[in-house]
Amino acid sequence: MAKQYEIPIGAQHISLLEPLHFKFTTENEKIVKTDANVYYVHRGIEQACCSKFKFRQVSFVVGRVCGLCSISHTTAYSQVAEKLVKIEIPKRAKYLRMLVIELDRIHSHLLCLSHVAENSGFEALFMKTMQYREFSMELLEAVCGNRIQYDFSIVGGVARDLKPQVAQSIIERLKKFIPQLDELMDIYKNNWTLSLKNKGAGAITKEDAMRLNVVGPFARAAGLAVDVRNETEDLLPWKEVGYEMITETSGDVYARNLVRLRELYVSIRIIENVINGLPETPLITETKAFPDGEATVRLEAPRGELFYYAKGNKTQVLERLKIKAPTFSNVAAMAEAFTGNEYGSAPAIIASYDPCLSCTAR
Amino acid sequence: MKTFLKTIGNVFKKPVTTKYPFEKTFIPDDYRGLIGFDENLCIWCRRCEMVCPPGAIVFSQDMEGKQTYHFNRAVCIYCGECVRACPKEGAIFQTAEPAPCALKAENINNGWNKLYAEALQSREAYAAEKKKKAAEKAAADKLAAAKKEEGNKTTGDNQTSAV
């Protein structure tokens, strides 16, 4: 048996965006065992939501859980609070929520892809992807009024309406984006340099993915068809606007890139359908009821299934709020998928998981 | 060869970035900017203060009962919840102007915390004063009423005695 070395990566490391700590046990550059430690950024948001803030204010607090999937958190919380106060929101609000979630998915997926390229040693592609990502940030700014903290969903509906000229500009910019996306697809699919670090690296089988309860693009790349958009219809009508499941089979970094890129085409289609079929209804359902009882909500964030549980006791302040972020579900599989890979490809594999630690630790 | 020509072509392309201080960056018309306040329209219901998630709005009150509006742009998250909650159209509104940076001289954190506490205290003091005055008035009224009643009684007694 060869001599084993323990190499830590993180919690602060140049190739990591967020404080994530992996401890690799290596044998001649091959990783044989991995330990993961994710709780470095605990901020006590759940406790704050149940003590300091009123239930209508909490949707702005949970938006600050994560910068990238801010809208997913706000929407999931708004939905769970709407279940507690027992109201049905107008259809236009549902459509606008879907629009912003999909725009958010575009910018989140492109960010993840660019980091995979960067961590694989392809700086030029990183810059190119970030350049193409900029349009989605500008569109989000035009729709929500801010680049990163959208504060778009509120309890009972959405905060702002979509202006006709903004809708027009979204359609135009998406048309411009499609050839750029084709170009990116070509590079991520066929570039030889990138394939050296991406093909076969960090692979996980479908059985392992199912056993370890993987969610999001990570699971879909392994061939596991899990997507909340495919399963729930009551809160947001995904199938109505042309949702389609994207899966790959190989489960490696390359497959994850492809899943993300192909999902962007689906997102573009959903956005176009939402804008073309936007119903004319009011934006908010007003209510004066207080939250009562228990409710759970699942929502597909860019990284996978986001889960919210809330309990009310007929007062302004919630009794309990529980957030389960997609990265938390994936941690076990993250540690597993390193096994058998070169230590040198670890950064690219970490980036391809798209870990969001501020969501996980809150 | 194709790649080589593409590379040469890229040399003559315009940069994709914006030269920020010299050029304006993209800001939409309805950007969520600074919160404005119109004192003449305000009905002083304090609903904006109640709904504000971070607590960036506070009203202080002097002893005559006149309220003053305070706003902290560094605490504000520009969600527009105060504008939605306002019952009087135009009393509080959102502009498209981005907030300027806070300077050290403004002492925007500690100064604000102090101001916030003082504002709450001033309101409490006013409420206590009002309560005290009301209690005094009630006591005076009671006294007056008792006196009157007594007076009535005495006159009544006088009347009965007279009869």
Side-chain angles (χ1 to χ4, degrees):
Chain A
M1 191 181 132
K3 200 176 176 189
Q4 291 194 339
Y5 289 96
E6 277 196 350
I7 307 177
I9 183 167
Q12 299 291 329
H13 192 272
I14 44 165
S15 80
L16 297 174
L17 289 174
E18 300 196 46
L20 170 65
H21 179 216
F22 282 117
K23 197 155 82 184
F24 299 117
T25 309
T26 58
E27 218 177 80
N28 291 341
E29 292 278 317
K30 279 262 183 296
I31 297 167
V32 289
K33 197 172 146 266
T34 316
D35 285 329
N37 190 357
V38 292
Y39 276 83
Y40 279 97
V41 275
H42 184 70
R43 288 170 288 164
I45 284 183
E46 282 177 7
Q47 179 62 32
C49 290
C50 305
S51 57
K52 199 183 169 196
F53 296 96
K54 295 171 191 160
F55 81 99
R56 278 174 197 283
Q57 299 173 339
V58 170
S59 70
F60 301 101
V61 183
V62 293
R64 269 81 190 156
V65 166
C66 175
L68 284 166
C69 38
S70 162
I71 182 67
S72 305
H73 281 274
T74 356
T75 309
Y77 173 72
S78 302
Q79 287 175 344
V80 81
E82 280 149 16
K83 275 191 177 176
L84 290 183
V85 297
K86 297 177 188 66
I87 50 168
E88 178 75 21
I89 64 161
K91 204 163 184 196
R92 193 181 176 87
K94 285 184 184 177
Y95 267 59
L96 287 176
R97 281 179 181 180
M98 283 195 290
L99 170 81
V100 180
I101 289 175
E102 289 308 313
L103 275 174
D104 185 71
R105 198 184 306 278
I106 290 179
H107 99 84
S108 177
H109 276 1
L110 282 176
L111 182 94
C112 171
L113 285 164
S114 68
H115 281 293
V116 174
E118 188 199 18
N119 285 358
S120 312
F122 200 160
E123 288 272 336
L125 185 56
F126 163 71
M127 285 181 222
K128 201 177 194 80
T129 319
M130 285 304 235
Q131 177 199 331
Y132 291 160
R133 170 177 174 263
E134 184 58 28
F135 91 100
S136 62
M137 305 293 285
E138 280 178 5
L139 288 182
L140 279 166
E141 193 177 5
V143 175
C144 312
N146 209 347
R147 268 172 78 92
I148 200 85
Q149 294 292 352
Y150 313 122
D151 298 337
F152 192 68
S153 295
I154 52 176
V155 178
V158 292
R160 288 156 67 101
D161 201 359
L162 184 71
K163 287 184 182 170
Q165 66 263 33
V166 174
Q168 191 59 38
S169 75
I170 291 176
I171 298 274
E172 278 165 19
R173 297 296 289 275
L174 283 177
K175 270 200 189 115
K176 261 191 225 165
F177 176 60
I178 288 172
Q180 295 175 340
L181 184 56
D182 291 339
E183 191 189 339
L184 284 183
M185 188 84 173
D186 179 47
I187 300 173
Y188 279 98
K189 216 174 183 175
N190 303 328
N191 190 287
W192 180 73
T193 335
L194 204 63
S195 76
L196 289 177
K197 280 269 173 121
N198 286 1
K199 276 192 183 165
I204 189 160
T205 59
K206 191 177 171 182
E207 289 70 40
D208 274 351
M210 197 177 260
R211 182 170 60 84
L212 296 165
N213 204 359
V214 186
V215 294
F218 195 2
R220 293 197 283 276
L224 199 63
V226 283
D227 195 321
V228 183
R229 290 178 286 174
N230 200 25
E231 292 157 27
T232 58
E233 275 291 287
D234 53 332
L235 295 170
L236 293 175
W238 290 109
K239 298 237 177 83
E240 216 172 280
V241 290
Y243 167 72
E244 187 197 324
M245 174 75 79
I246 301 286
T247 49
E248 289 281 332
T249 46
S250 56
D252 53 2
V253 179
Y254 173 77
R256 275 169 229 148
N257 288 346
L258 283 196
V259 163
R260 291 206 171 92
L261 282 165
R262 285 172 58 199
E263 271 186 12
L264 293 186
Y265 287 105
V266 178
S267 290
I268 291 169
R269 196 165 69 225
I270 291 177
I271 291 167
E272 280 172 352
N273 288 345
V274 162
I275 289 173
N276 292 333
L278 204 59
E280 292 293 333
T281 60
L283 289 176
I284 304 181
T285 311
E286 296 284 351
T287 177
K288 287 208 167 88
F290 285 168
D292 183 24
E294 291 175 275
T296 58
V297 152
R298 298 190 303 144
L299 187 102
E300 184 75 9
R303 287 164 186 77
E305 180 195 306
L306 181 64
F307 174 88
Y308 265 70
Y309 163 84
K311 188 179 179 189
N313 50 2
K314 290 189 186 168
T315 57
Q316 284 272 14
V317 184
L318 292 174
E319 198 175 311
R320 181 79 175 95
L321 181 73
K322 166 75 188 152
I323 308 168
K324 198 190 88 185
T327 309
F328 178 76
S329 310
N330 285 349
V331 170
M334 280 180 189
E336 180 93 0
F338 279 116
T339 314
N341 284 284
E342 297 274 319
Y343 175 70
S345 49
I349 297 172
I350 294 173
S352 78
Y353 296 153
D354 203 3
C356 181
L357 276 305
S358 56
C359 280
T360 312
R362 298 176 299 281
Chain B
M1 191 64 200
K2 207 174 135 196
T3 324
F4 179 70
L5 285 177
K6 213 174 166 184
T7 317
I8 298 291
N10 275 343
V11 174
F12 301 104
K13 265 193 194 162
K14 269 189 177 175
V16 290
T17 48
T18 322
K19 291 182 178 159
Y20 165 59
F22 311 109
E23 272 176 42
K24 278 204 169 165
T25 51
F26 171 77
I27 291 182
D29 310 327
D30 50 354
Y31 176 77
R32 299 204 322 255
L34 280 171
I35 304 289
F37 177 71
D38 193 339
E39 206 177 277
N40 302 322
L41 286 175
C42 185
I43 58 166
W44 313 104
C45 65
R46 293 189 207 148
R47 211 168 283 182
C48 46
E49 188 196 307
M50 271 187 271
V51 296
C52 183
I57 296 173
V58 72
F59 286 90
S60 66
Q61 201 165 28
D62 63 7
M63 278 305 165
E64 274 86 58
K66 195 185 174 316
Q67 298 190 36
T68 323
Y69 162 87
H70 302 281
F71 167 69
N72 188 337
R73 61 172 197 278
V75 173
C76 183
I77 57 168
Y78 304 97
C79 59
E81 192 78 335
C82 46
V83 182
R84 279 191 288 280
C86 188
K88 181 98 178 167
E89 186 101 356
I92 193 159
F93 52 90
Q94 191 152 30
T95 60
E97 191 192 337
C101 300
L103 301 174
K104 195 184 173 189
E106 285 178 88
N107 191 13
I108 211 151
N109 283 332
N110 293 334
W112 173 254
N113 291 343
K114 209 176 143 204
L115 179 75
Y116 198 93
E118 276 172 9
L120 294 186
Q121 261 175 18
S122 75
R123 261 165 31 196
E124 264 169 31
Y126 174 74
E129 182 76 17
K130 206 174 160 186
K131 208 175 168 186
K132 203 173 135 197
K133 271 187 185 163
E136 269 171 18
K137 196 166 174 258
D141 282 355
K142 212 177 172 184
L143 208 70
K147 226 175 218 176
K148 212 175 169 186
E149 207 165 274
E150 210 163 280
N152 281 344
K153 225 179 190 177
T154 47
T155 48
D157 283 352
N158 288 345
Q159 275 166 7
T160 44
S161 64
V163 169

